[in-house]
Amino acid sequence: MKRTYLGEFEEIVLLAVAVLNGQAYGVLLMHEIIEQTDRSVRLNQVHSALQRLEEKGMVRSEMGEPTNERGGRRKRLFSVTAFGQRTLHEIQEVRASFWNRLANPLKLSV
């Protein structure tokens, strides 16, 4: 099977979806990413990344139940597919391999 590559932001969004374990939706993902990365993120960026990840087959979405706090509107909930899990595992292995090969990981010259 051909390997699919992700950009940094797509990888972060995919990881956040995995962490939120089936309860991920746009606004919650945006807040999670801002909190974990301390970077400025807009909702449209998250939605674009989710759309690309869904097109690649790494996440799937379904409509949740209507909620009172959303005026009866439903949320689109995202979860990671088996292909998305494999991709995350491959990324983790590649990064770990590089870190393990680094001679002095705590003494990086900047």
Side-chain angles (χ1 to χ4, degrees), residues 18-31:
V19 165
L20 293 171
N21 197 24
Q23 298 303 309
Y25 61 96
V27 173
L28 183 59
L29 286 164
M30 180 185 70
H31 290 301

Side-chain angles (χ1 to χ4, degrees), residues 91-105 108:
I91 291 168
Q92 182 183 31
E93 286 180 341
V94 168
R95 291 184 187 279
S97 174
F98 274 110
W99 278 105
N100 289 337
R101 292 175 45 211
L102 191 60
N104 292 311
L108 293 174

Side-chain angles (χ1 to χ4, degrees), residues 10-21:
E10 286 179 331
E11 180 183 339
I12 288 170
V13 171
L14 185 58
L15 279 166
V17 172
V19 165
L20 293 171
N21 197 24

Side-chain angles (χ1 to χ4, degrees), residues 2-110:
K2 183 176 100 170
R3 184 166 180 181
T4 303
Y5 294 92
L6 298 178
E8 179 203 15
F9 191 70
E10 286 179 331
E11 180 183 339
I12 288 170
V13 171
L14 185 58
L15 279 166
V17 172
V19 165
L20 293 171
N21 197 24
Q23 298 303 309
Y25 61 96
V27 173
L28 183 59
L29 286 164
M30 180 185 70
H31 290 301
E32 181 73 17
I33 292 166
I34 290 169
E35 183 179 314
Q36 294 299 318
T37 65
D38 197 30
R39 70 194 261 183
S40 176
V41 177
R42 294 186 318 269
L43 185 57
N44 67 323
Q45 294 171 303
V46 173
H47 282 162
S48 293
L50 287 167
Q51 184 177 358
R52 290 191 304 271
L53 290 167
E54 196 161 22
E55 288 169 359
K56 292 176 182 180
M58 295 185 188
V59 299
R60 68 176 155 266
S61 66
E62 61 184 26
M63 295 306 290
E65 295 299 318
T67 60
N68 289 334
E69 63 267 8
R70 292 178 46 86
R73 294 189 341 240
R74 299 165 19 151
K75 296 176 189 169
R76 181 169 295 280
L77 300 173
F78 291 86
S79 58
V80 178
T81 64
F83 179 53
Q85 290 174 353
R86 268 194 321 274
T87 300
L88 284 174
H89 184 70
E90 288 172 2
I91 291 168
Q92 182 183 31
E93 286 180 341
V94 168
R95 291 184 187 279
S97 174
F98 274 110
W99 278 105
N100 289 337
R101 292 175 45 211
L102 191 60
N104 292 311
L106 299 178
K107 297 179 183 175
L108 293 174
S109 61
V110 183

